[in-house]
Amino acid sequence: MNANHDESRARRPKETVHVGCASGFWGDSQIAIPQLLTAEKLDYIVFDYLAETTMSILQRARMRNPELGYATDFVSVLRPHLKTLLERGVRLVSNAGGLNPQACRDAILAFAREQGLSPRIAVVTGDDVAELHAEFTDAQGCRLPDLNGFGPLLSANAYLGAYPIVQALALDADIVITGRAVDSACALAVAIHEFDWVFSDYDRLAQASLAGHLIECGPQATGGLFTDWETVPDWANIGYPIVVLGPDGGFDLTKPPGTGGLVNRATVAEQLLYEIGDPAAYELPDVVCDLRQVSIRETGPDRVRVEGARGRAPSTRYKITATGHAGYQIGIMMAIRGQRARAKALRTAEELLRRTRKLLALNGLPDYTSTVVELLGAEAMYGGNARENDSREVILRIAASHAERKGLEFLQKESASAGTSMGPGTRSHFGGRSDIQAIIKTGSFYIAKQCVPVWLDCGDVHAEVIVPENGEEGPSFPPAAQQACASAPASPDGALRVPLARLAYARSGDKGDDSNIGVIARSEAYWPVLLRELTAERVREYFSHLVQGDVSRFELPGTGAVNFVLRRALGGGGSSSLRSDPLGKSYAQMLLDLEIPCPGEILQ
């Protein structure tokens, strides 16, 4: 089936493959491709655009215009660089297709023709499984033909794996565009294609999947969002990541020369823990990864070596992200200044909600589905952990949801009246009048892989991709090894209460309505302190004002880290949450303020 598109790209064994990442989300910077092209070696660039929240945004776009529904950024960032990329033989793999991969391909071909270029583009489809909703199951495998009260289904897309991309690369595609594919599949597919790995070589698959996971968010692996942000130089020119993959699965992570940012053990370890659950069972379509014994070793300036991931056979199902309509929401912000600003802002919110509830009742409409009042600048997200704050300037944020658009029009209009009828120093409609938006709820389900036909289009090839059978599940992993280290002294005479930030780095992320917080010890001496003091119960108590479910803790001895998963922690999560931080991005920063006992003699 190989079309021999370019004889200069004939298959030959490679000692290493250099893969850069130019996008971590839809809306990322335009500086990445020019940076990556300055690297001495560059074989591929991958682009990740699709988060769960992004799927709901794309669905909104497709509802307005059926020709949209893909990441338009991919088209705009390629336009000035496509000729250079093709001349250098740098191949591109991206999930920018979103809900409409063919339209994404057509948009690229349109501007390519204007430039006199003819890139060979492959499109992977089949992830759209909305018509198969009767086959959806929950985590336990129970059928959910009614989606368990999810609401009217707007879209449903399975997380496809690497194999269709491997087939596209075998057809000599210059650009591979997928719909919903797991973020790390782009890098994994490159490794499988270049090194001729078999799909049962699970340890290698796990390593390459980890490489993809580390770079999928762009500069988050090169100093972006780093706990010690003061140590990261030149944010304006922060370097985008490059992984140097080897045929044994080991890889180095670095960045282009002369760029800003920082690559070291800590920056990469933070990204390793980003948005994972149980590190012993990080489930992907092609492999289940065990990340507990991963090691990260600095081998030079802005360069680390990553090894130790293990793998086992994947499950026989795909995860699905589905979207459904769930009413409407609005978020209003206004500036409140002057004496007792906090109390004044709280009263303003109370009075506006009371007034508009009366108007709802007078017009025969039900009450709000939910409301959230936050005082930005007064540590509202910290709940009972907030410090005393008598600020003379806060931003009042009132968010509300309602089953009908009309039900939010009263709050949209009446909020302006606060500028003349409520507290002094109030600037209503801060940032302009707020829009009422449809709530596109996202949810996760599962479907058997055998129910999902996957298709590949490349040139004159239109064929179904036969995903390999999973075979036996493979041997189970042994129990997690116990860390052999002495217990830290617990004597009150030798213990000092210090902020967690003094002992650890941390990063948080989201999966639907759940959040995770990864915490990495700054030194080996602090690791037993984290194990003893930073328990799931203590974290649950600290976030009790935000978390409605339970909290689990998982250990990663190889990295000296613990990972916490906070269930039902985001007020619904994504676009269905009314909170100002619906993705839990601030949770790690909040946890770093927690004070825990630490023996004074080990403090550095």
Side-chain angles (χ1 to χ4, degrees), residues 174 237 252 565 601:
D174 299 304
N237 190 37
D252 290 357
V565 177
E601 62 267 24

Side-chain angles (χ1 to χ4, degrees), residues 25-54:
F25 67 99
W26 187 17
D28 206 344
S29 174
Q30 302 177 43
I31 68 173
I33 293 180
Q35 275 189 2
L36 293 170
L37 286 173
T38 67
E40 182 180 353
K41 295 181 180 180
L42 186 66
D43 301 301
Y44 291 83
I45 300 179
V46 298
F47 303 74
D48 177 33
Y49 289 100
L50 303 183
E52 291 181 346
T53 301
T54 310

Side-chain angles (χ1 to χ4, degrees), residues 1 3 13 60 114 121 136 143 163 224 241 255 356 445 447 493 563:
M1 288 171 55
R60 285 196 186 109
E114 294 173 0
I121 302 179
F136 294 177
R143 288 288 176 85
Y163 193 70
K255 63 184 183 68
T356 53
F445 308 99
I447 191 170
D493 295 336
N563 186 49

Side-chain angles (χ1 to χ4, degrees), residues 267-517:
T267 61
V268 176
E270 281 195 12
Q271 184 59 22
L272 185 152
L273 274 79
Y274 181 65
E275 294 186 341
I276 68 169
D278 181 354
Y282 184 53
E283 185 175 346
L284 299 170
D286 302 298
V287 63
V288 178
C289 303
D290 181 355
L291 308 176
R292 291 173 295 179
Q293 299 298 335
V294 169
S295 67
I296 303 170
R297 177 169 47 90
E298 296 178 15
T299 57
D302 288 317
R303 193 178 188 96
V304 299
R305 180 71 175 173
V306 183
E307 298 171 310
R310 297 184 58 203
R312 67 174 184 265
S315 75
T316 57
R317 63 185 186 177
Y318 287 125
K319 181 182 176 182
I320 298 164
T321 295
T323 65
H325 187 257
Y328 299 87
Q329 65 181 5
I330 191 171
I332 292 168
M333 292 199 295
M334 55 183 70
I336 310 289
R337 297 182 175 91
Q339 299 177 1
R340 301 180 300 284
R342 184 178 183 278
K344 188 165 36 177
L346 288 173
R347 183 175 176 189
T348 301
E350 178 185 353
E351 299 287 357
L352 280 173
L353 290 173
R354 188 159 63 94
R355 177 187 294 179
T356 53
R357 281 188 164 108
K358 287 182 179 180
L359 291 171
L360 287 171
L362 286 172
N363 285 271
L365 293 170
D367 194 6
Y368 297 115
T369 307
S370 60
T371 62
V372 168
V373 174
E374 295 177 315
L375 304 186
L376 308 182
E379 300 195 1
M381 284 286 290
Y382 284 79
N385 305 308
R387 296 168 180 162
E388 290 295 326
N389 190 315
D390 192 23
S391 174
R392 291 172 294 179
E393 181 178 72
V394 298
I395 301 299
L396 168 61
R397 181 177 180 273
I398 307 172
S401 60
H402 199 280
E404 300 181 40
R405 177 181 290 272
K406 184 179 179 181
L408 297 176
E409 291 177 353
F410 301 108
L411 182 58
Q412 183 188 46
K413 296 175 181 177
E414 291 295 325
S415 61
S417 70
T420 56
S421 65
M422 297 187 181
T426 297
R427 181 189 174 190
S428 59
H429 280 161
F430 177 73
R433 176 170 286 191
S434 301
D435 293 330
I436 298 171
Q437 295 185 341
I439 298 174
I440 307 297
K441 180 179 179 182
T442 61
S444 295
F445 308 99
Y446 298 89
I447 191 170
K449 289 178 179 176
Q450 64 185 12
C451 296
V452 183
V454 181
W455 293 89
L456 175 62
D457 286 276
C458 185
D460 57 357
V461 174
H462 175 73
E464 183 174 358
V465 177
I466 306 302
V467 176
E469 293 292 331
N470 292 309
E472 296 180 358
E473 286 293 307
S476 299
F477 289 122
Q482 297 297 314
Q483 186 72 8
C485 53
S487 298
S491 169
D493 295 336
L496 300 174
R497 296 188 66 84
V498 298
L500 179 61
R502 188 166 176 182
L503 308 178
Y505 312 97
R507 179 168 297 175
S508 52
D510 70 295
K511 287 294 181 185
D513 196 18
D514 298 339
S515 180
N516 90 293
I517 308 175

Side-chain angles (χ1 to χ4, degrees), residues 200-218:
S200 58
D201 197 349
Y202 297 121
D203 285 349
R204 286 191 173 96
L205 300 190
Q207 272 288 130
S209 295
L210 175 57
H213 169 70
L214 290 175
I215 66 173
E216 71 192 30
C217 291

Side-chain angles (χ1 to χ4, degrees), residues 129-138 142-157 320-325 441-447:
V129 294
E131 295 182 357
L132 303 175
H133 65 84
E135 301 294 326
F136 294 177
T137 62
D138 62 13
C142 299
R143 288 288 176 85
L144 294 170
D146 60 353
L147 296 187
N148 201 25
F150 184 71
L153 188 68
L154 296 175
S155 68
N157 296 80
I320 298 164
T321 295
T323 65
H325 187 257
K441 180 179 179 182
T442 61
S444 295
F445 308 99
Y446 298 89
I447 191 170

